[in-house]
Amino acid sequence: GSSMSRHHPFCRSNLTFWLVMLGILLAALSPDQALALRFVAMGDSRGSTVENLVNTTILGLVNQQVSALTPSPEFLIFYGDMSYRCNVPSNGENNYTYEAWLSFMRTGSTGLPASLPLYLAIGNHELHESGGSSIAAEEAVLTRLCQQAYQDFVTSNISAQFMPTTTDLNDDYKHLAYSFTADNGNSLFVVLDGFYIDKNQTTIPYKASGSLDATQLNYLWYILSNSNAKTKFVIVHNPA
């Protein structure tokens, strides 16, 4: 939610360390283990101001290390908070930041291999718009307009390498709460949205840490209890 150094188990300065450790672990795997499912999970690439929307320096370094992994991962899951703000208006026009982030992630010199599928879990900063004269993250507000813009962004970019073969909870939660399988069905991934804004909500019904609504909790129970996957992963940006 807020900066990784305050609320997340790994702060930005530790991202590189953990990816190096991952590389050491992979190098030590036996041939049988090397055939197991391998994927990368990371998040919180946002900068700290509207002038520094994305921490491109660290994100670029992490992407380079992901690209260098051998064997290559089958996909990458990004845990959200890609940018400091969802929308930074310019000359009276909306300027959503999702496309610029994705472009960076797919540019040869700074991004991931073009063939590496990328999945997203939404974070609170994907919904942040300025809440007043201050640009502090704590004074931002979460808006349904940003939520819709995020869903439209995913829809317009879906491909075999971006959010492929997912099954949404329903149209209201499209690209926000969904599932997919990997490893020939042996692994199930359920992605949830801890900051969902219902179309009928007039007030924000959660604290800054976020929460899961009853619709998603019921969905989670149903899909986990009806899955025969050997391993089941549940992904959500904020501690639930």
Side-chain angles (χ1 to χ4, degrees):
S2 299
S3 66
M4 293 183 70
S5 59
R6 294 195 301 177
H7 292 300
H8 287 256
F10 308 135
C11 67
R12 286 188 178 88
S13 62
N14 285 338
L15 275 174
T16 300
F17 168 78
W18 285 107
L19 282 170
V20 169
M21 293 303 293
L22 174 61
I24 294 172
L25 173 62
L26 294 180
L29 292 176
S30 69
D32 286 343
Q33 290 172 315
L35 296 176
L37 174 66
R38 179 173 292 108
F39 67 94
V40 172
M42 66 183 191
D44 248 316
S45 62
R46 65 179 178 82
S48 55
T49 69
V50 291
E51 289 78 26
N52 179 32
L53 291 166
V54 179
N55 190 338
T56 55
T57 300
I58 297 299
L59 184 58
L61 290 173
V62 173
N63 285 343
Q64 288 177 17
Q65 295 200 36
V66 173
S67 301
L69 289 174
T70 302
S72 298
E74 294 189 28
F75 55 86
L76 183 145
I77 298 179
F78 194 85
Y79 283 162
D81 278 8
M82 59 179 74
S83 174
Y84 181 69
R85 282 279 195 272
C86 77
N87 184 22
V88 182
S90 177
N91 298 321
E93 298 291 330
N94 285 329
N95 180 27
Y96 293 102
T97 59
Y98 318 125
E99 293 283 357
W101 179 88
L102 182 59
S103 177
F104 183 90
M105 294 293 282
R106 289 307 192 192
T107 299
S109 60
T110 62
L112 303 167
S115 60
L116 182 66
L118 173 62
Y119 293 92
L120 299 181
I122 193 170
N124 53 308
H125 280 261
E126 273 70 78
L127 303 171
H128 273 193
E129 295 209 62
S130 177
S133 59
S134 171
I135 61 173
E138 291 76 12
E139 296 190 15
V141 294
L142 283 67
T143 72
R144 185 169 170 83
L145 287 176
C146 282
Q147 180 174 280
Q148 184 61 59
Y150 174 89
Q151 292 174 293
D152 292 343
F153 151 73
V154 176
T155 297
S156 65
N157 285 284
I158 278 182
S159 69
Q161 290 76 40
F162 184 71
M163 299 285 283
T165 60
T166 61
T167 302
D168 296 308
L169 188 167
N170 57 38
D171 286 344
D172 288 338
Y173 291 83
K174 189 172 185 178
H175 312 315
L176 304 175
Y178 63 89
S179 65
F180 64 95
T181 60
D183 191 26
N184 296 317
N186 288 317
S187 295
L188 169 72
F189 292 80
V190 186
V191 178
L192 301 174
D193 176 5
F195 305 95
Y196 180 73
I197 304 172
D198 187 89
K199 59 186 175 183
N200 297 319
Q201 289 175 353
T202 57
T203 58
I204 298 175
Y206 45 70
K207 302 295 185 182
S209 61
S211 63
L212 294 174
D213 58 21
T215 299
Q216 291 185 80
L217 290 173
N218 290 335
Y219 167 69
L220 178 62
W221 177 87
Y222 176 83
I223 197 167
L224 291 180
S225 61
N226 285 278
S227 171
N228 294 320
K230 179 180 179 181
T231 310
K232 303 172 185 180
F233 300 86
V234 179
I235 310 296
V236 63
H237 173 77
N238 50 292

